[in-house]
Amino acid sequence: RRLTTEVPVAGGRVADVAFAFDIDGVLIRGGKGLTEGTKTLRYLQKHNIPFILLTNGGGMHETTRAERLSNLLQVNLKEVDFCQSHTPFKNLKDKYKHILVLGGSDDSVRKTAEMYGFPSVINELDVIAKRGTPFWPFTSFTENDLKQARDFDLNQPIEAVFTYVDPVRFGLDLQLVMELAQSKNGILGTVSEKGDEGPDIYYSNSDLVWPNEYPLPRLGQGAFASCCEKIYNELTGKQMKLTKYGKPHKVTYDYATNILEAKRKALSIPNSPKEIFMVGDNPESDIRGANAYGWTSILVRTGIFQGADNSSKYPAKHVAKNVWEGMRWALSRHV
Ligand code: G3P
Ligand code: MG
């Protein structure tokens, strides 16, 4: 069963399937769009096949991400095409009155949380500006950095700490999580005697590594989360309570499924997909999550995974050279 580039289809439909694509290592690599990524997304758009870009990346609002990726790939993408690692945090906006967000080098993460509807959002720089350099003496902050800081009420409990994206100020963020995890009701500068009165702690992804243009994988947010857990355990003798979002966690696949369902309806496709394919480069997150969720996993060789055969730890249903070949394999199952 061979699939040609242009499949003749009745009524504009190729097959009742849907796709989820990882971004880094599948559609782009090291900030550059991969031509197979462009070809694949254009093909699916042309044939009205629903897809979602399901990434453990983030650090900006989906509208900004859509604009950037549209430019990189030369494909017209919209906010609704994306589930970034922190997108499902939206569903928690009414649960917390006052939160701390971590990650990134500018105000983008705070703005993203505010656009999601969180009513009061502070970040690392606000804390440094309020508490002074002794809070974390190992990083120098410029006047320009501190100019971005906003004042906040130190007595208002920080109800949750969200790491939105890989911390740029790793040490400061580690100090913040440690202090708040041991605090009394999320008030900075306090210590809980019970030891479990701190804010809820969330990480938007647990990727230990991710690929860029450097020849070896780089440490990611998962490395930060592991450091937090390990140091908290050494400091208190207890296990840190935390929640992880992103692939391979179910909460993220649930969220993505809802988006795919909404897209199916928007495209007036009468039936739910017979098969959902996840195309990814990272066996630990993309493939593991897809297999556990009942999606059909396709592992590509354009990112993290460079093995000869399949991942031995989390084998994919199919291994393809790149995303275009992966999509062709997926569609050939429904011709
Ligand atoms: O974990 C870092 C992030 O860049 C991975 O993105 O698209 O491969 O899930 P993605
Ligand atoms: Mg990837």
Side-chain angles (χ1 to χ4, degrees):
R1 290 182 303 172
R2 287 184 64 81
L3 188 73
T4 55
T5 306
E6 293 303 319
V7 186
V9 284
R13 303 281 310 128
V14 175
D16 276 330
V17 296
F19 286 87
F21 296 104
D22 176 76
I23 296 180
D24 278 325
V26 172
L27 300 175
I28 66 170
R29 170 127 197 192
K32 289 203 181 99
L34 299 175
T35 49
E36 295 84 9
T38 302
K39 210 163 129 183
T40 303
L41 298 189
R42 283 187 183 164
Y43 182 89
L44 294 178
Q45 283 181 339
K46 183 171 172 188
H47 293 288
N48 286 335
I49 296 180
F51 67 83
I52 185 165
L53 306 185
L54 183 55
T55 176
N56 271 355
M60 64 192 81
H61 192 259
E62 289 67 27
T63 46
T64 313
R65 169 73 73 177
E67 217 179 288
R68 290 197 189 172
L69 208 67
S70 296
N71 283 335
L72 277 183
L73 291 171
Q74 292 297 298
V75 174
N76 184 17
L77 298 166
K78 303 223 157 35
E79 177 183 356
V80 68
D81 293 321
F82 291 83
C83 178
Q84 302 189 94
S85 62
H86 46 67
T87 311
F89 287 166
K90 274 183 198 171
N91 288 349
L92 301 170
K93 69 178 169 48
D94 299 322
K95 190 171 174 186
Y96 303 111
K97 286 193 278 297
H98 185 52
I99 64 168
L100 170 71
V101 295
L102 304 176
S105 54
D106 57 17
D107 219 18
S108 174
V109 156
R110 185 217 300 273
K111 283 188 188 132
T112 302
E114 287 174 343
M115 286 169 85
Y116 287 174
F118 286 95
S120 169
V121 186
I122 60 167
N123 67 20
E124 304 101 322
L125 286 176
D126 302 343
V127 175
I128 283 291
K130 190 85 175 168
R131 301 295 303 193
T133 315
F135 185 90
W136 180 253
F138 305 119
T139 308
S140 305
F141 296 93
T142 64
E143 253 179 51
N144 206 29
D145 285 334
L146 296 173
K147 238 195 269 166
Q148 300 170 40
R150 281 195 215 157
D151 195 21
F152 66 97
D153 179 3
L154 266 178
N155 294 315
Q156 181 172 7
I158 295 168
E159 295 170 7
V161 179
F162 290 92
T163 303
Y164 264 61
V165 68
D166 308 51
V168 168
R169 302 180 176 96
F170 202 98
L172 168 61
D173 290 3
L174 198 51
Q175 179 71 80
L176 266 164
V177 174
M178 286 309 103
E179 175 158 333
L180 284 167
Q182 297 175 83
S183 72
K184 199 165 166 52
N185 301 324
I187 307 276
L188 286 164
T190 65
V191 179
S192 158
E193 277 157 34
K194 288 201 258 165
D196 58 356
E197 297 173 296
D200 293 341
I201 293 176
Y202 294 90
Y203 298 95
S204 73
N205 88 51
S206 36
D207 289 350
L208 280 179
V209 290
W210 64 289
N212 66 5
E213 52 274 80
Y214 194 76
L216 295 176
R218 304 292 79 199
L219 291 176
Q221 193 189 140
F224 175 67
S226 294
C227 287
C228 291
E229 285 183 74
K230 173 85 175 119
I231 296 170
Y232 181 83
N233 179 255
E234 289 202 12
L235 287 171
T236 66
K238 295 182 181 148
Q239 293 304 315
M240 201 168 130
K241 283 194 212 130
L242 55 96
T243 309
K244 287 177 178 170
Y245 276 53
K247 300 166 290 183
H249 305 292
K250 184 177 175 293
V251 60
T252 288
Y253 288 81
D254 284 341
Y255 195 93
T257 303
N258 286 340
I259 298 186
L260 283 174
E261 193 55 16
K263 291 182 103 180
R264 174 180 77 79
K265 287 182 184 152
L267 290 167
S268 307
I269 299 168
N271 308 314
S272 289
K274 290 197 182 90
E275 195 167 16
I276 300 180
F277 297 93
M278 168 87 227
V279 186
D281 69 309
N282 188 340
E284 298 274 341
S285 56
D286 306 321
I287 306 307
R288 180 183 181 184
N291 290 349
Y293 202 71
W295 289 1
T296 303
S297 54
I298 301 173
L299 179 61
V300 292
R301 297 182 184 281
T302 42
I304 291 264
F305 178 73
Q306 293 296 333
D309 187 17
N310 201 334
S311 161
S312 48
K313 205 164 167 201
Y314 299 108
K317 175 88 176 168
H318 180 70
V319 181
K321 197 165 102 189
N322 57 48
V323 60
W324 172 253
E325 294 303 327
M327 183 203 71
R328 280 167 59 84
W329 173 82
L331 294 184
S332 74
R333 285 163 63 84
H334 293 267
V335 171

